[in-house]
Amino acid sequence: KKPLTIDEEAYVQGIRNGSRLHLAKAITFIESTVSDQQQIGQSLLKRLLPFTGNSIRIGITGVPGAGKSTFIEAFGKMLGDEGFKVAVLAIDPSSSITGGSILGDKTRMEELARHPNAFIRPSPAAGTLGGVHKKSRETLLLCEAGGYDVILVETVGVGQSETIVRGMVDFFLLLALTGAGDELQGMKKGIMELADALVVNKADGTNEKLAKKTVAEYKQILHFLAPATPNWTTPALAVSSLYKTGLDTVWKTVQTFQHDMQANHVWQNRRKEQTVSWFKTMIVDRLYEDFFSSIDKKETMANLEQMVRQEKVTVSQAVEELFSSNSKE
Amino acid sequence: KKPLTIDEEAYVQGIRNGSRLHLAKAITFIESTVSDQQQIGQSLLKRLLPFTGNSIRIGITGVPGAGKSTFIEAFGKMLGDEGFKVAVLAIDPSSSITGGSILGDKTRMEELARHPNAFIRPSPAAGTLGGVHKKSRETLLLCEAGGYDVILVETVGVGQSETIVRGMVDFFLLLALTGAGDELQGMKKGIMELADALVVNKADGTNEKLAKKTVAEYKQILHFLAPATPNWTTPALAVSSLYKTGLDTVWKTVQTFQHDMQANHVWQNRRKEQTVSWFKTMIVDRLYEDFFSSIDKKETMANLEQMVRQEKVTVSQAVEELFSSNSKE
């Protein structure tokens, strides 16, 4: 079989000149599980790496129903109208079992998708950590090379996904609903301490008064918590994605954050640490994958795990057993 | 050289009959970095494993200065006086650079150490994660086999130590000082959400009024946070380790917790999950250790980390490079 080849230079130029088609195809290469496609993706990324790093990376999370997609659509359109190029790494709820809107899957962020300054890349929530793909970081870099000024990374509040997204963005935004007390019970532990801004959504109509009360409650809680970013005071804000109020304040907050954190180098240092820590995570993943690549090893592991669970062996003994069976192969 | 041998049966019987000397020596075997000593430790642990699991395991944390050692001494003595056997895995501050009392290193928990029902095992804070030794879990099991009813595991609030201790205890107690707002700034993020009880220490003298106010403040914050243990409401309590007030309430809280969590099986399930997760952590540690056992590999890693940090290569490429240099060896 002939190996897959592409005109790399055409891709690099296409992406740099804002071709959505080339960008989308490059992301598909990066995400591919087929070896030669992956290699093309990596090769493209390598060539595009010098043109990355110039965007603001914003993570957006919130419990299902917090209005993530309506917020991203309204916020993204506002930025697009102001002339910013906006890329969204979005969750595709159609394949999700954990949530997303049941109605209107097809119309999710439809208006933003048609905006000339926007690019939306949905990832299936199924098989990923709350919509965060293993390759989301690399997708983000490709978007940056494509000249996008703002990258919005959406995640749904399940499992470890927030920590992963926090580890790839500059600014982390937690979307909340009115009624802090009730809602916090449903939030993942420690999530508030990852946020650089807490935004109470749906502050409109009869809900507006309650939203203001909720903002006050969150302010009080945030006062007691260590901020996610040193030398930054995490604000609580109210927005209406429906009536587009408060969105400009969110954007001003992000800009102030960028200005201050670049001045004190927290921004630059965080990015370096994020990259190194991603490197280390990938090493551990790879070691684990390689070690458990044989069916025999997986079976031994399953048996030992069962014995450990039933306290039939000590953990140290089980580890010894697992690694000694290695040398027998 | 003749291999080291001991009379294992004498150790097993000694430990089970409450010999502190045998227990202390067995722990030294477990903690040893010498291979044949380690093996003796593991062999003893294996024989003692059937006699473990019957204690209440309590983790105790707090910022330096929160009064961990005075609390543990007062709490341990109260339990000892009531007839409970108490083991303490304590931090030895003499070798610590992060804290502990500067005055009175020698007299730390001196009274408790002399109590007939108590056993104290100090671990140096240096070279460990806030006093948590790699073998702390195994030490804990040896103490259980020695018939100790309550095991107190002390940790100082730095790095990942709380998460590790939370992963080996049934009940996690966070010691705090008066003035919640100021203090929380110094606490590690998310620490409050690991706690099964928040105990405000030094609620005595002129401090008593402030302590009550602090308890009320913490109650308010805890109200908003998800509890560390499902179906448990994390209480905030005030104690004076100096005047020994409130300690009985802490103990009653622990007992209620044990009763309720054993009834709904949260207790048993958590222990099983803790053991399995410990097993998995040890596997990853071992894989990492084995992979980086050669000096060559360490050098390659250091170089690649530097290149990743300076964005000279993509992370994926660096991982490929690291693992391909493996096959060349």
Side-chain angles (χ1 to χ4, degrees), chain B residues 20 76-77 80 84-88 111-120 148:
Chain B
R20 282 184 185 72
K77 276 177 66 191
F84 293 105
K85 287 187 71 182
V86 182
V88 183
E111 278 190 70
L112 182 60
R114 285 196 306 261
H115 199 289
N117 281 338
F119 173 79
I120 300 183
Y148 289 90

Side-chain angles (χ1 to χ4, degrees), chain A residues 117-137:
Chain A
N117 281 338
F119 173 79
I120 300 182
R121 177 73 182 197
S123 277
T128 64
L129 281 162
V132 185
H133 196 276
K134 252 195 167 177
K135 299 297 169 64
S136 291
R137 288 173 202 261

Side-chain angles (χ1 to χ4, degrees), chain A residues 62-317:
Chain A
V63 293
K68 287 185 292 297
S69 57
T70 50
F71 173 81
I72 290 172
E73 173 143 272
F75 189 61
K77 274 176 68 192
M78 180 192 74
L79 294 175
D81 288 347
E82 289 182 22
F84 294 105
K85 286 186 71 182
V86 182
V88 183
L89 311 190
I91 301 163
D92 176 5
S94 60
S95 55
S96 163
I97 49 158
T98 56
S101 55
I102 293 169
L103 291 169
D105 281 0
K106 299 273 176 206
T107 58
R108 208 165 182 267
M109 301 185 201
E110 200 184 42
E111 278 190 69
L112 182 60
R114 284 196 305 260
H115 198 290
N117 281 338
F119 173 79
I120 300 182
R121 177 73 182 197
S123 277
T128 64
L129 281 162
V132 185
H133 196 276
K134 252 195 167 177
K135 299 297 169 64
S136 291
R137 288 173 202 261
E138 290 171 350
T139 300
L140 188 153
L141 293 173
L142 287 177
C143 292
E144 279 189 348
Y148 288 90
D149 307 295
V150 183
I151 322 270
L152 304 176
V153 185
E154 183 188 15
T155 180
V156 67
V158 292
Q160 289 293 306
S161 64
E162 283 96 354
T163 316
I164 296 171
V165 171
R166 168 78 272 185
M168 67 174 90
V169 297
D170 306 308
F171 189 94
F172 198 56
L173 190 152
L174 173 59
L175 270 189
L177 286 165
T178 48
D182 296 337
E183 195 197 19
L184 268 166
Q185 301 295 324
M187 274 188 194
K188 222 187 137 258
K189 284 177 204 178
I191 178 86
M192 262 212 291
E193 285 162 299
L194 297 177
D196 293 311
L198 191 144
V199 175
V200 176
N201 200 2
K202 305 188 186 175
D204 40 46
T206 53
N207 214 18
E208 199 174 343
K209 206 178 150 189
L210 186 56
K212 282 187 178 147
K213 187 170 164 278
T214 306
V215 165
E217 285 176 345
Y218 273 122
K219 275 186 179 158
Q220 210 184 350
I221 304 168
L222 287 166
H223 171 72
F224 287 114
L225 301 178
T229 304
N231 304 315
W232 174 250
T233 306
T234 306
L237 308 164
V239 303
S240 164
S241 299
L242 188 61
Y243 295 103
K244 320 218 175 340
T245 54
L247 297 171
D248 50 342
T249 311
V250 173
W251 180 233
K252 268 179 211 142
T253 302
V254 173
Q255 285 179 306
T256 305
F257 179 92
Q258 183 180 26
H259 175 268
D260 294 358
M261 296 307 126
Q262 285 186 341
N264 65 17
H265 295 278
V266 165
W267 180 285
Q268 297 87 331
N269 292 335
R270 170 179 272 162
R271 282 200 173 181
K272 278 194 206 304
E273 291 317 315
Q274 284 177 338
T275 309
V276 170
S277 133
W278 174 27
F279 179 43
K280 291 182 178 168
T281 304
M282 279 191 75
I283 294 169
V284 170
D285 284 355
R286 173 73 174 262
L287 286 170
Y288 213 83
E289 232 169 66
D290 286 357
F291 186 69
F292 289 110
S293 58
S294 78
I295 291 172
D296 271 10
K297 189 59 96 189
K298 275 184 201 143
E299 273 177 10
T300 310
M301 173 67 184
N303 290 337
L304 285 169
E305 186 176 326
Q306 200 53 29
M307 285 173 77
V308 161
R309 196 179 285 273
Q310 295 166 354
E311 296 188 347
K312 286 187 183 162
V313 288
T314 69
V315 167
S316 293
Q317 283 154 1

